[in-house]
Amino acid sequence: GVYANAVVTTGNGSGTLFTGNDLNTAGANSIRLVGLYAQGVDGVTISNNNIANMSNSLAESPRAIWLATGTNSGTVSQNNISTLASTNTGAFAVAGIYVTPGSGATAITVNGNTISGLTNAGTGTTFGGIITTSPNTNVTNNTISNLTQNGASSSIGAYGIVQSGSSNATISGNTISGILSTTSATASGINIQGASTGVNIFRNSISNIKNTNTTGWGAQGIYLGSTSTTANTNVYNNLVYDVAADGFNGITATDNGYGIMVQSGGGYNIRFNSVNMNTDQPDIVGRPAAINISSSITTAASLDIRDNIFANTQTTGNRYAIVSGAANTVFSNINYNDYYSTGLVGYNGTTEYTNLAAWQAASAQDANSVAVNPQFTTPTNLNLLAASPLFGSGVTIAGITTDFVN
């Protein structure tokens, strides 16, 4: 591909522009390893490039765009990335946009890119549409679709967007769909991991997140797995629907489909999200839910969960609006939510909560929550019909003045 490799110095390479490149030749003349690479280029712009059909004939991990060490500021925008595959079954993985400048990153924007048709057979941990490990990184208004993970390892994943060890970061306005795992790897639309703090996740549309492995593994719309118990992460105004796995009689992240999975850490504010679990899981012993709070969440008063619609409209098997293996002391505030299920309201791993009153007793809060059909426009259009009973049933929260559509 095209490489820019500079000495890491503040401002070195500022103004460097990669634009208008068409790197999509297939066959013997295809590029390999990296399409566009910037290292130590502080202030690079990578825009309006077309990257596809990269070779993976050797043992390597194809990456379309890579902001590497010392590229502490820059913009990646309006690029089209498609048809990248890794057929190697070793520790390799495909990445659309890979952002790893280090802890010195000051201002990185990944905006308006289209990424589709990525397929992976390896067991590397970095298979995804957009992967970032840097602070001060904003991932906005990208479209990511049709990623397939065939690599067989429970320690890897298929990610639309993953931020690992990020701080002061934003994930907003993205449309993520068609994230599929056929193996024990977990599929996630948005995945937060490592010591991530200060991440804002809002106004994303996440759908068709699936795991089809018939032995029962996991899929999540949004996965919150920071190692920090003071993550100060805000998750609001997101739409999540059509998330499913095969089904397994358990409630860990690797067992079923969950709209939002709160796996580890704490300091999460989860507000004004609409989740609809509308796709049946094949195995009826599974325990899918619109939100799952893991027993690994133990820090007192570390979750604020308000003004959400948690709907499970599946038609077969066990199904819940909420699953929580955590003690109710982890909630600083949990209220004004809609827990609607065509099955039961909730489950904690041993006890099922058949109705709202039972869940309210278990949470020791939720006095103003309801369990009513939200009346979505369609299963995949989560705007409310005019007759919805949820209008006027929430509470205003300072700092959130718009919803998903306005």
Side-chain angles (χ1 to χ4, degrees):
V2 180
Y3 280 57
N5 195 337
V7 175
V8 179
T9 303
T10 300
N12 195 17
S14 179
T16 299
L17 175 64
F18 296 70
T19 189
N21 297 285
D22 195 7
L23 307 176
N24 70 347
T25 301
N29 293 322
S30 64
I31 60 173
R32 49 177 287 265
L33 196 59
V34 182
L36 301 172
Y37 178 88
Q39 177 175 318
V41 184
D42 189 8
V44 69
T45 296
I46 302 177
S47 65
N48 296 297
N49 300 283
N50 182 37
I51 305 170
N53 300 311
M54 290 176 61
S55 170
N56 77 136
S57 59
L58 302 177
E60 56 200 22
S61 296
R63 291 161 181 162
I65 297 173
W66 188 353
L67 299 189
T69 304
T71 304
N72 292 329
S73 67
T75 299
V76 180
S77 66
Q78 307 300 322
N79 299 283
N80 185 66
I81 298 167
S82 63
T83 322
L84 272 61
S86 175
T87 58
N88 295 294
T89 58
F92 308 105
V94 174
I97 298 174
Y98 194 55
V99 182
T100 61
S103 60
T106 56
I108 293 175
T109 297
V110 181
N111 178 72
N113 302 280
T114 300
I115 303 169
S116 64
L118 276 57
T119 305
N120 194 67
T123 56
T125 59
T126 56
F127 173 60
I130 299 173
I131 296 174
T132 76
T133 62
S134 52
N136 304 306
T137 299
N138 297 323
V139 180
T140 58
N141 304 314
N142 301 282
T143 300
I144 301 168
S145 63
N146 300 324
L147 275 59
T148 301
Q149 173 65 278
N150 297 317
S153 172
S154 60
S155 62
I156 63 175
Y159 309 123
I161 297 171
V162 59
Q163 288 193 331
S164 179
S166 298
S167 61
N168 190 31
T170 295
I171 304 174
S172 71
N174 302 285
T175 300
I176 303 167
S177 65
I179 310 300
L180 169 66
S181 172
T182 64
T183 69
S184 55
T186 299
S188 300
I190 293 174
N191 186 293
I192 304 301
Q193 56 185 249
S196 294
T197 59
V199 180
N200 293 297
I201 304 167
F202 61 96
R203 298 182 80 172
N204 300 284
S205 176
I206 303 165
S207 63
N208 191 15
I209 313 298
K210 304 287 175 56
N211 189 311
T212 58
N213 187 285
T214 56
T215 59
W217 293 90
Q220 307 101 28
I222 299 174
Y223 177 95
L224 302 176
S226 175
T227 58
S228 172
T229 58
T230 55
N232 188 29
T233 290
N234 300 300
V235 183
Y236 62 96
N237 282 341
N238 298 286
L239 305 183
V240 181
Y241 59 91
D242 190 17
V243 179
D246 185 75
F248 186 79
N249 186 10
I251 59 169
T252 71
T254 59
D255 289 337
N256 294 286
Y258 307 111
I260 298 174
M261 181 74 215
V262 188
Q263 175 60 27
S264 60
Y268 299 119
N269 302 308
I270 302 170
R271 301 157 170 170
F272 296 105
N273 301 285
S274 295
V275 180
N276 188 25
M277 302 292 287
N278 59 303
T279 300
D280 291 341
Q281 296 195 154
D283 195 330
I284 62 172
V285 304
R287 298 186 183 274
I291 184 169
N292 184 336
I293 301 159
S294 169
S295 60
S296 299
I297 305 296
T298 58
T299 301
S302 63
L303 302 181
D304 185 332
I305 304 176
R306 288 181 286 167
D307 289 311
N308 302 280
I309 300 173
F310 297 128
N312 192 325
T313 58
Q314 296 167 337
T315 62
T316 61
N318 303 307
R319 51 201 185 275
Y320 310 100
I322 184 167
V323 163
S324 178
N328 61 21
T329 53
V330 303
F331 302 119
S332 62
N333 202 334
I334 182 168
N335 205 357
Y336 295 96
N337 299 300
D338 181 18
Y339 302 104
Y340 176 69
S341 175
T342 53
L344 303 179
V345 166
Y347 182 59
N348 73 353
T350 56
T351 300
E352 292 184 318
Y353 306 114
T354 58
N355 53 36
L356 178 63
W359 169 249
Q360 288 170 323
S363 71
Q365 295 193 50
D366 275 307
N368 300 103
S369 292
V370 297
V372 298
N373 187 335
Q375 298 189 28
F376 293 128
T377 301
T378 71
T380 60
N381 179 347
L382 306 192
N383 289 314
L384 300 178
L385 294 171
S388 171
L390 296 183
F391 286 110
S393 64
V395 64
T396 300
I397 296 177
I400 303 176
T401 57
T402 61
D403 61 16
F404 182 84
V405 295
N406 55 42

